[in-house]
């Protein structure tokens, strides 16, 4: 493993490998992942380039790229990677590291994706389950885009596609406790 | 009578209610009794794993621990996203007792994780535990005449080390079930392409693009309808279809069924019980093909088209 010039501290490559359980060094840049990835055209750097950037230790650049936010964890790439690298796990590792180190990509798209996930988790924390209409409504309010998908709403509501009711789970307390402990675990590592 | 532990998932009472209710009809015919996990909670898909590692394991683990208290040792999951989160958690916990111990601290009050419950998607359960032949025997009203494109999406068969089910590239389990019902499964190359999944709300543009390609390929395969086993796929392909049509300037008019709706139909349940009015794209046109005799297929050579450069290396 390359540890040159790091004075005993973990390199970015080490951090990603440890967190993902993959070995990014194995990547030989064939690009098969890029051809497979359904969202590579939206990424600042497609998976292959992210792999190389990790090897080169470009920590900031990787954290700030939108690639790991766009990854849908569809696992199409890893199924075809000739080096059998768990690419979505690598993407996830980069994302978790970036979140834990408080890196914020403030492009509009990434902000919206992040907001969606925040609202989703918030909903589980409060109710133990997810309620789709509330989810949509809160997303629109919090992104100040009140009329997004409004053309779908009447149809979806009429057809009973989206339930209105929200009732907390019996075990809402257990879920809150779980969130608290999980948060602590996240920080302690 | 067989018993099965059931994890309905959050969308079972919302966007995919028709999946849940028709699944129950089908299982009645197949003589399987469902036992809900008492007080189950959201598995965290599709957000927990995006934002945090521990919570992504903790949420499914609570359900696994609760399920272990029941007698049955198999858990069936309707929603493909829930299935994947549950299965990933199970496999990772079983492989890494150290990790399991750590995650278990978040759900101590519920109990200790033992790893005694197996996790299966309903599709997998039908295929492995019930069997295509048994399904064929239960058919009272053949769907002959109906041509369907079976769409699996990403989560039911991938990653292959986790799901250990069917093929990650060209699965056939749903196709075989549909053929057992009398329908014809078309040769459909986009079976496991991604529909855009959870970007439905936060990044609609991606869904319009990806789901649009799936619709186009399904249509090209000659299918009257698409069949799915995932609520997210269903809502992206059905609810977003008018948007996609507007965007692409084409009319697809291709309804998106849950596999359980077609099974229930073939098992003789009246159409009135199958929640068809919930579909955004009307189903009547496609269903009208049932009973029509299909022309004998000519032996045409499949044109080899250049795959569109959808994801060029920049
Ligand atoms: S497919 Fe695998 S080996 Fe090839 S570039 Fe992508 S990560 Fe590297
Ligand atoms: S898992 Fe992520 S990087 Fe890999 S193909 Fe899917 S979206 Fe692209």
């Amino acid at each position: 493993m390359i540890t040159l010039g790091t004075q005993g501290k973990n390199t970015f490559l080490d951090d990603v490998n440890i967190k993902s359980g993959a070995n990014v060094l194995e990547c030989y840049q064939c690009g098969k992942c890029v051809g497979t990835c359904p969202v590579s055209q939206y990424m600042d750097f497609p998976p292959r380039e992210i792999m190389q950037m990790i090897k080169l230790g470009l920590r900031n650049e990787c954290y700030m790229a939108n690639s790991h936010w766009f990854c849908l964890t569809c696992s199409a790439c890893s199924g075809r990677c000739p080096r059998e690298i768990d690419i979505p796990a690598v993407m996830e590792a980069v994302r978790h590291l970036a979140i834990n180190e408080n890196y914020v990509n403030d492009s509009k798209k990434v902000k919206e994706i992040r907001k969606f996930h925040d609202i989703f988790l918030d909903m589980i924390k409060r109710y133990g389950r997810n309620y789709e209409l509330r989810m949509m409504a809160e997303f629109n309010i919090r992104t100040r885009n009140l009329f997004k998908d409004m053309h779908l709403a009447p149809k979806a509501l009429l057809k009973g596609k989206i339930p209105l009711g929200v009732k907390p789970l019996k075990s809402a307390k257990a879920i809150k406790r779980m969130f608290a402990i999980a948060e602590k675990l996240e920080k302690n590592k | 009578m067989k018993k099965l532990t059931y994890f309905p998932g959050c969308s079972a009472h919302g966007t995919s209610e028709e999946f849940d209710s028709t699944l129950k009809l089908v299982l009645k015919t197949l003589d399987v009794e469902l036992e809900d996990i008492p007080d189950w909670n959201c598995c965290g898909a599709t957000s927990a794993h995006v934002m945090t590692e521990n919570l992504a394991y903790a949420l499914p683990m609570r359900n696994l621990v609760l399920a272990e208290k029941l007698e049955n040792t198999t858990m069936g999951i309707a929603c493909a996203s829930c299935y994947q989160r549950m299965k990933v958690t199970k496999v990772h916990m079983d492989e890494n007792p150290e990790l399991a111990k750590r995650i278990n601290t978040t759900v101590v009050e519920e109990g200790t994780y033992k790893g005694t419950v197996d996790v299966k998607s309903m599709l997998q359960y039908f295929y492995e535990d019930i069997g295509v032949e048994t399904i064929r025997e239960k058919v009272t009203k053949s769907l002959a005449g109906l041509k369907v494109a079976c769409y699996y999406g990403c989560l039911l068969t991938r990653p292959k080390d986790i799901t250990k089910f069917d093929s990650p590239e060209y699965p056939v389990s749903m196709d075989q079930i549909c053929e057992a019902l009398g329908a014809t499964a078309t040769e459909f190359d986009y079976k496991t392409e991604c529909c855009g999944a959870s970007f439905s709300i936060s990044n609609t543009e991606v869904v319009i693009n990806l789901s649009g390609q799936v619709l186009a390929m399904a249509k090209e395969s000659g299918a009257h309808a698409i069949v799915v086993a995932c609520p997210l796929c269903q809502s992206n392909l059905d609810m977003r279809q008018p948007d996609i049509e507007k965007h692409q300037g084409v009319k697809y008019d291709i309804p998106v069924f849950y596999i359980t709706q077609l099974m229930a139909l073939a098992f003789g349940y009246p159409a009135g019980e199958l929640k068809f009015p919930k579909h955004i794209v009307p189903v009547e046109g496609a269903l009208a093909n049932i009973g029509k005799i299909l022309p004998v297929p000519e032996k045409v050579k499949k044109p080899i088209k250049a795959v569109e450069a959808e994801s060029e290396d920049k």
Side-chain angles (χ1 to χ4, degrees):
Chain A
M1 202 136 293
I2 305 168
T3 42
L4 267 181
T6 52
Q7 281 124 19
K9 271 202 333 206
N10 271 3
T11 59
F12 183 40
L13 177 67
D14 296 338
D15 282 350
V16 172
N17 279 349
I18 291 168
K19 216 168 171 71
S20 66
N23 184 1
V24 174
L25 219 45
E26 294 259 297
C27 166
Y28 56 27
Q29 294 288 297
C30 69
K32 210 161 184 177
C33 49
V34 189
T36 303
C37 179
V39 284
S40 62
Q41 73 262 46
Y42 301 100
M43 291 178 173
D44 290 338
F45 304 99
R48 179 185 65 83
E49 287 177 33
I50 292 288
M51 295 292 153
Q52 194 66 2
M53 286 159 72
I54 295 169
K55 288 198 235 169
L56 294 174
L58 302 175
R59 192 185 287 266
N60 287 5
E61 288 76 0
C62 271
Y63 285 168
M64 294 306 284
N66 70 6
S67 311
H68 51 85
W69 287 107
F70 266 89
C71 172
L72 285 155
T73 330
C74 74
S75 307
C77 53
S78 46
R80 291 182 187 165
C81 171
R83 307 297 288 172
E84 295 183 17
I85 299 171
D86 192 343
I87 302 158
V90 170
M91 289 286 186
E92 200 147 285
V94 173
R95 191 187 323 113
H96 288 165
L97 287 167
I99 293 173
N100 291 348
E101 292 176 33
N102 296 318
Y103 276 76
V104 179
N105 176 327
D106 56 7
S107 72
K108 182 163 175 278
K109 271 290 150 222
V110 172
K111 263 169 49 194
E112 286 185 0
I113 293 171
R114 212 172 158 159
K115 188 122 283 167
F116 171 86
H117 294 306
D118 282 339
I119 297 171
F120 197 115
L121 285 180
D122 213 37
M123 187 103 16
I124 308 174
K125 192 174 177 179
R126 270 187 289 164
Y127 306 115
R129 290 188 192 159
N130 173 34
Y131 294 89
E132 289 142 324
L133 180 68
R134 250 203 113 94
M135 171 90 226
M136 262 176 148
E138 288 208 18
F139 181 79
N140 289 358
I141 291 167
R142 294 217 221 159
T143 53
R144 306 200 194 302
N145 188 358
L146 284 181
F147 300 107
K148 184 180 179 290
D149 289 333
M150 265 328 207
H151 61 294
L152 286 178
K155 245 192 188 167
L157 276 179
L158 265 181
K159 289 175 177 277
K161 273 268 167 213
I162 298 174
L164 282 163
V166 175
K167 43 178 186 326
L169 209 62
K170 262 201 273 129
S171 54
K173 252 211 207 114
I175 305 290
K176 284 216 177 76
R177 197 182 50 234
M178 175 199 294
F179 267 78
I181 304 173
E183 240 161 71
K184 233 186 264 155
L185 285 180
E186 207 79 35
K187 282 198 191 103
N188 282 347
K189 275 192 307 146
Chain B
M1 173 167 283
K2 279 190 181 180
K3 275 192 160 190
L4 179 67
T5 300
Y6 183 49
F7 181 81
C10 298
S11 63
H13 304 292
T15 42
S16 73
E17 200 247 312
E18 61 268 44
F19 192 12
D20 184 67
S21 61
T22 51
L23 172 69
K24 286 177 179 157
L25 296 180
V26 167
L27 290 178
K28 206 161 84 190
T29 304
L30 295 171
D31 213 19
V32 178
E33 193 189 335
L34 287 184
E35 189 173 0
D36 276 12
I37 298 172
D39 203 36
W40 59 270
N41 61 271
C42 172
C43 68
T46 48
S47 292
H49 73 95
V50 175
M51 304 298 287
T52 87
E53 188 186 344
N54 293 292
L55 206 53
Y57 289 135
L59 287 160
M61 188 192 256
R62 181 170 178 276
N63 295 308
L64 288 167
V65 169
L66 292 175
E68 285 174 0
K69 293 184 182 165
L70 305 175
E71 229 175 88
N72 326 311
T73 50
T74 308
M75 183 200 294
I77 303 182
C79 168
S81 314
C82 300
Y83 158 69
Q84 216 215 21
R85 289 328 306 169
M86 211 74 80
K87 188 91 188 193
V88 164
T89 304
K90 183 186 160 49
V91 172
H92 286 177
M93 294 305 122
D94 292 352
E95 278 172 1
N96 187 345
E98 198 71 19
L99 178 66
K101 235 193 193 150
R102 191 177 83 215
I103 302 299
N104 212 159
T105 59
T106 61
V107 289
V108 262
E109 277 181 36
E110 281 77 2
T112 310
Y113 174 79
K114 297 198 271 306
T116 48
V117 169
D118 195 12
V119 175
K120 289 193 174 186
S121 70
M122 283 319 299
L123 179 65
Q124 187 176 9
Y125 182 75
F126 287 143
Y127 195 72
E128 290 177 348
D129 295 50
I130 302 284
V132 175
E133 281 321 307
T134 310
I135 293 172
R136 198 192 310 275
E137 282 163 20
K138 298 284 181 192
V139 173
T140 57
K141 184 181 164 239
S142 164
L143 304 185
L146 183 68
K147 288 202 274 179
V148 293
C150 293
Y151 178 63
Y152 300 73
C154 323
L155 302 169
L156 288 166
T157 61
R158 278 198 308 252
K160 64 174 192 306
D161 300 340
I162 299 283
T163 63
K164 299 212 166 61
F165 171 62
D166 215 336
S167 153
E169 295 282 352
Y170 202 82
V172 291
S173 50
M174 210 187 324
D175 298 60
Q176 288 182 11
I177 293 176
C178 286
E179 304 234 305
L181 304 178
T184 307
T186 62
E187 226 172 272
F188 173 43
D189 293 338
Y190 268 44
K191 281 179 173 186
T192 54
E193 290 296 318
C194 181
C195 69
S198 59
F199 280 166
S200 181
I201 295 176
S202 63
N203 212 332
T204 315
E205 174 202 336
V206 174
V207 171
I208 300 246
N209 177 6
L210 299 184
S211 289
Q213 294 175 21
V214 173
L215 290 176
M217 289 304 282
K219 195 86 191 174
E220 205 182 288
S221 80
H224 304 126
I226 298 176
V227 190
V228 299
C230 168
L232 218 54
C233 298
Q234 205 277 346
S235 83
N236 279 341
L237 294 174
D238 183 46
M239 200 150 81
R240 295 275 174 206
Q241 198 171 127
D243 284 350
I244 293 168
E245 290 177 335
K246 211 161 111 196
H247 186 82
Q248 300 185 342
V250 247
K251 201 92 185 102
Y252 288 118
D253 240 339
I254 186 159
V256 187
F257 293 108
Y258 286 108
I259 175 81
T260 49
Q261 285 178 304
L262 292 188
M263 287 169 85
L265 191 66
F267 289 172
Y269 288 97
E273 284 183 38
L274 307 182
K275 308 279 164 107
F276 291 141
K278 283 204 160 209
H279 289 240
I280 300 289
V281 180
V283 302
E284 287 73 18
L287 292 183
N289 291 297
I290 296 176
K292 279 192 199 158
I293 310 229
L294 288 177
V296 184
E298 290 168 48
K299 269 271 169 266
V300 273
K301 253 214 343 258
K302 237 187 135 213
I304 301 166
K305 273 194 322 171
V307 178
E308 268 175 65
E310 35 162 314
S311 46
E312 267 171 319
D313 193 349
K314 278 178 287 188

